[in-house]
């Protein structure tokens, strides 16, 4: 019984590592998603950094440094998601600005029309 406990103890101590392939694939999908959402249309240092880290992660896989590869792939994923979020904010701000201009134009037109009627 003690032997069985000693043999299973190392398995409990080590935390399971995410799959390197899964981490790389998640980063690739996040970058692809950011590209589809036209993040590149906005100057995005985060997307540039995401691509660089993904390339570095692939190089780490070639060097059999799986822990480093997973970390870099996860960082790439986060950078791509940040780029997409920033693009969404920029798009929303542009829509808000357009709406505010339209409101201002309608107000001016309303003031002109009400002044002509008096």
């Amino acid at each position: 019984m003690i032997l069985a406990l000693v043999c299973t103890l190392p398995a409990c101590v080590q935390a399971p590592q995410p799959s390197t392939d899964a981490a790389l694939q998640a980063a690739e999908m996040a970058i692809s998603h950011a590209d589809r959402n036209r993040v590149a249309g906005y100057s995005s240092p985060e997307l540039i950094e995401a691509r660089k880290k993904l390339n570095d992660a692939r190089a780490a896989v070639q060097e059999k440094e799986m822990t480093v590869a997973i970390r870099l792939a996860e960082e790439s994923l986060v950078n791509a998601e940040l780029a997409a979020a920033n693009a969404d904010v920029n798009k929303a701000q542009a829509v808000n600005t357009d709406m505010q201009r339209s409101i201002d134009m309608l107000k001016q037109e309303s003031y002109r029309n009400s002044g002509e009627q008096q």
Side-chain angles (χ1 to χ4, degrees):
M1 182 155 156
I2 294 175
L3 181 59
L5 181 61
V6 170
C7 290
T8 59
L9 186 61
C12 294
V13 173
Q14 292 180 339
Q17 288 276 341
S19 163
T20 305
D21 291 338
L24 289 171
Q25 187 176 26
E28 289 168 355
M29 288 175 37
I31 290 171
S32 177
H33 173 73
D35 283 336
R36 279 192 311 275
N37 285 336
R38 296 185 207 99
V39 170
Y42 299 96
S43 180
S44 176
E46 294 87 4
L47 189 55
I48 292 167
E49 186 67 19
R51 287 190 176 109
K52 179 189 176 308
K53 289 193 181 218
L54 181 58
N55 288 334
D56 291 347
R58 289 179 179 142
V61 168
Q62 295 296 320
E63 297 294 322
K64 308 266 189 249
E65 297 177 5
M66 299 310 177
T67 303
V68 173
I70 290 170
R71 179 183 53 80
L72 289 168
E74 289 172 348
E75 289 175 9
S76 173
L77 171 70
V78 170
N79 283 329
E81 289 175 344
L82 179 59
N86 285 340
D88 288 344
V89 167
N90 289 336
K91 289 175 189 177
Q93 287 174 339
V95 167
N96 187 35
T97 299
D98 287 345
M99 289 177 71
Q100 190 60 49
R101 284 186 190 137
S102 295
I103 290 169
D104 291 344
M105 288 173 48
L106 288 170
K107 283 180 182 179
Q108 290 174 0
E109 188 66 28
S110 174
Y111 291 143
R112 272 189 291 228
N113 288 339
S114 65
E116 291 175 2
Q117 293 175 357
Q118 290 179 356

